[in-house]
Structure formats: structure tokens, C-alpha cells
Amino acid sequence: ETQGPGGVLVDDLGQLWASDGDSTVRLIDLSSRTIVATLTTGGAKRADEMAYDPQDQLLLVTNGSEAVPFATFISVTKRAIVGKLVFTGAGGGLEAPVFDAQTHRFYLSVPANKEYPGGAVAVVDPLSQRIVIEYPLPACDPSGIALDPASQELLLGCSGHPVIINASTGQVEATILQTSGCDEVWYNRGDQRFYLAAFTNPTGPVLSVVDAATGAWVENVPTVKKAHSVAVDPLTNHIFVPETGRGIVVYAQT
């Protein structure tokens, strides 16, 4: 809970942001390859996952491991913290956020808590920096979240079976029964598929593939223990999975 870096992304100004284990977010200049700013989010444990709103040039960073989890808003132009949103009821912490340019909202995975035993998705307005609504989830305990902007659907990586919900209503559109135990998930616009790092899948860790257009499961590809991260290059459709003992494994479609 104090290890880092946790999250990493590049904004549309060409700046690289990395959250660290000491509750800081570090800004790296890609030209000089040096840390040019360090912002403290005010927690005792790691700053973790992030999402970026290019319309308002705001970065959202989660501190999900705190006793009372919170999210921090950072202006990438001012290089300064401009707001904080505390999740007093999120006893299970906070997980991944994603930004939707169409609805102009952040969507944030909130694992199981007293109010929502199956977890929820918090819909956050970046301007007011407040929760607009929460979508309760059925027995999910969500971690990863990915958006298909074409269909306006969100895929949630769950401790149980992953689900696809409507971003506007929160209605469950599909449940993927062929896999479970997912952490990070990814939407690839190159092939219109979701990729799920199902590292605690009961029959063994797998990389699960789901057709975003239909919500149908495509296949499970065996990985290794603790392989809980995934990213996809939309130009080559190559899938990158860090695997213990093997390094970064690159999967290509057949």
C-alpha cells in the first residue's frame, strides 16, 4: 500500500504524470526526462490510479488505500492541486477511474461497502468535483474499468464475473460468465474489444477477450500468477501483459 509508481499517463500537453507510493504525484518532462514537479495529495499511503479530462485539462488521482479514501483533482496547466473529493462511505477503498468525453464525467470503481455490498460506479462531475450519482453493481466488487465510447458502455473488472453497464443509466447490459477475478481491464479502439487481466480466475489466471460491440466473450488466454495488468496498442492491436518471470509478454491476434 506504500509502493509506487501506481498509475502513469501522458496528458495532451506532452507531460507524463506518475503517482507514487508516498502519496505524491510526480510530473516528468519528457524532453529532459527529469522530474520537474512533485505534488502531495495529503494521504499516508500511495496515490494510485489516474484518469485525464482533456476538455478541462484535469487529472483525477485516487488514494484508495486510506482509511477514508479520496480522489484529488490536479490542473495539468497550473501543475497544482485544485480540489479533493472524499468518499466517506467507501470502506472497501477506491479503484480505477476513467473519463468519458461524451458525458463529460469521470466514472470511478468503488468496491463493496455498507451501502452497496456489490460495489458501485461513482459518476463524478469534473467541474463541481462532486458525485452526480452512483450506480450500484450486483456482486461485483469492481476494480478495473474501461469505456467503449462508441456504445457508451463501461466494462467493470469484478472479483466475480465482469459486467458491462450503460454509462448513462448504470443498467447492466451483459455479464461475462466465462471468466472472473479481474483486476485491470482495457478497451482497444483498434479492434473494438475489451481485454481483462483475470489473475484470480478460478481455473487459473487468464487474459480474457470480450467483443465490445456485442458484449460476447471471445476467448481466454492462459497467463501466469499475479498477471493483473493489461494494455493494448490500437495501431498494431498488440496486447501487453506484465508476467512474473517472463517480463512484458506481447500477445498478437491470430
Side-chain angles (χ1 to χ4, degrees):
E1 305 296 350
T2 57
Q3 292 179 333
V8 62
L9 60 76
V10 177
D11 62 31
D12 57 0
L13 303 180
Q15 304 176 124
L16 188 147
W17 300 83
S19 55
D20 212 345
D22 57 354
S23 194
T24 62
V25 180
R26 304 184 189 274
L27 173 59
I28 299 169
D29 180 88
L30 293 177
S31 299
S32 63
R33 300 185 181 183
T34 57
I35 296 173
V36 295
T38 298
L39 305 179
T40 300
T41 61
K45 299 181 179 179
R46 68 179 180 182
D48 197 4
E49 302 196 57
M50 301 186 289
Y52 176 56
D53 166 11
Q55 297 173 356
D56 303 297
Q57 296 181 310
L58 285 174
L59 187 71
L60 182 146
V61 185
T62 63
N63 273 64
S65 302
E66 307 291 340
V68 181
F70 61 88
T72 302
F73 297 88
I74 296 174
S75 167
V76 303
T77 54
K78 297 177 182 178
R79 299 181 175 181
I81 292 173
V82 294
K84 182 177 180 178
L85 176 58
V86 178
F87 289 76
T88 54
L94 297 176
E95 289 289 342
V98 67
F99 179 74
D100 183 356
Q102 183 168 319
T103 62
H104 195 219
R105 295 287 187 264
F106 285 110
Y107 295 85
L108 182 58
S109 292
V110 182
N113 55 56
K114 291 182 178 180
E115 187 173 2
Y116 303 115
V121 173
V123 184
V124 177
D125 182 344
L127 296 181
S128 68
Q129 300 176 6
R130 293 291 181 264
I131 297 173
V132 177
I133 193 172
E134 289 183 286
Y135 299 148
L137 297 170
C140 178
D141 190 12
S143 52
I145 185 170
L147 169 73
D148 176 359
S151 66
Q152 282 294 289
E153 291 180 329
L154 296 160
L155 179 137
L156 281 303
C158 303
S159 60
H161 299 301
V163 296
I164 297 175
I165 69 170
N166 184 292
S168 297
T169 66
Q171 180 178 349
V172 175
E173 306 284 357
T175 301
I176 314 303
L177 300 176
Q178 295 86 351
T179 187
S180 65
C182 304
D183 189 3
E184 294 190 9
V185 298
W186 192 277
Y187 171 73
N188 177 34
R189 67 178 187 273
D191 59 8
Q192 295 183 310
R193 288 180 169 182
F194 290 113
Y195 292 88
L196 302 80
F199 77 116
T200 59
N201 185 56
T203 57
V206 294
L207 171 67
S208 298
V209 185
V210 174
D211 187 324
T214 64
W217 172 81
V218 177
E219 64 177 326
N220 286 338
V221 180
T223 56
V224 301
K225 185 179 180 181
K226 296 184 179 180
H228 68 101
S229 303
V230 60
V232 187
D233 181 349
L235 300 181
T236 63
N237 294 327
H238 287 172
I239 306 105
F240 299 83
V241 181
E243 297 189 8
T244 302
R246 301 180 66 188
I248 306 296
V249 179
V250 183
Y251 293 91
Q253 295 183 20
T254 57

